[in-house]
Amino acid sequence: MHSLKAEHTLIISLREVLLQEQNLLVAADIDKLDPLTSRKAELINEMALTANQRHRSLAAAGFARGEAGMEAWLAAHGSDADKLLWHDVLDQTREAKELNRLNGMLINRQLNHTQGALQALRPQAQTGVYGPSGRTATSTFSRGFVAG
């Protein structure tokens, strides 16, 4: 249960970071994302370590690793509070996954917008211009340099 309480704390923290990230993405305040990205990576790493610890504890107690093993352990040994905590961890995890998915969509939208702006700044190639040979010619303008 110690491992599960730690996971619960971590997933709530991750969810808060994802919400902050989403607010920054909506506001297009990209400069403030770096610290959140680092914190998000730290939390995900800590969550993985904590989940692995829980899986090892379940296996040592004779239960399967993962959700099925946790459900079986809770049915055999868990209190109502333990079960509520486990279900809240699962709910918070689903919400965090959805927030992360939405944030990914916001990032892609911002990237597409930036790429569109860059494309608008690039010179457009002229098509349909034919040279003396009858072949399509690309017009390349060269400005000569005259030294005097």
Side-chain angles (χ1 to χ4, degrees), residues 3 15-17 23 30 33 50-51 58 62 76 79 82 88 91 103:
S3 174
R15 199 171 150 276
E16 289 171 4
V17 168
N23 290 333
I30 308 304
L33 283 175
T50 307
L58 285 169
S79 68
D82 297 338
D88 195 48
D91 290 342
N103 289 358

Side-chain angles (χ1 to χ4, degrees), residues 13 17 32 44 55-56 60 70 92 96 100 116 123 127 142 146:
S13 296
V17 168
K32 293 181 183 173
I44 290 170
H55 293 162
R56 284 191 306 274
M70 190 65 194
Q92 296 287 334
N100 193 54
T127 57
S142 173
V146 179

Side-chain angles (χ1 to χ4, degrees), residues 29-47:
D29 194 353
I30 308 304
D31 295 332
K32 293 181 183 173
L33 283 175
D34 278 346
L36 287 181
T37 302
S38 298
R39 180 66 180 140
K40 184 170 61 169
E42 290 170 11
L43 287 168
I44 290 170
N45 187 47
E46 287 181 54
M47 287 176 61

Side-chain angles (χ1 to χ4, degrees), residues 53-67 69-70 73:
Q53 180 183 352
R54 179 174 42 85
H55 293 162
R56 284 191 306 274
S57 296
L58 285 169
F63 294 92
R65 295 174 176 250
E67 289 184 29
M70 190 65 194
W73 184 88

Side-chain angles (χ1 to χ4, degrees), residues 34-143:
D34 278 346
L36 287 181
T37 302
S38 298
R39 180 66 180 140
K40 184 170 61 169
E42 290 170 11
L43 287 168
I44 290 170
N45 187 47
E46 287 181 54
M47 287 176 61
L49 293 172
T50 307
N52 284 334
Q53 180 183 352
R54 179 174 42 85
H55 293 162
R56 284 191 306 274
S57 296
L58 285 169
F63 294 92
R65 295 174 176 250
E67 289 184 29
M70 190 65 194
E71 292 286 344
W73 184 88
L74 286 168
H77 305 288
S79 68
D80 288 340
D82 297 338
K83 293 173 187 174
L84 285 173
L85 181 63
W86 170 243
H87 289 288
D88 195 48
V89 166
L90 294 176
D91 290 342
Q92 296 287 334
T93 301
R94 279 189 286 276
E95 287 181 34
K97 284 180 182 179
E98 180 62 12
L99 282 169
N100 193 54
R101 186 187 71 78
L102 290 172
N103 289 358
M105 290 174 58
L106 289 169
I107 289 168
N108 284 334
R109 186 181 79 186
Q110 188 70 27
L111 181 61
N112 288 337
H113 176 73
T114 302
Q115 288 174 340
L118 288 173
Q119 187 65 28
L121 295 173
R122 290 188 183 122
Q124 299 296 316
Q126 294 181 354
T127 57
V129 178
Y130 296 94
S133 66
R135 294 186 182 175
T136 304
T138 58
S139 47
T140 56
F141 296 100
S142 173
R143 295 184 185 197

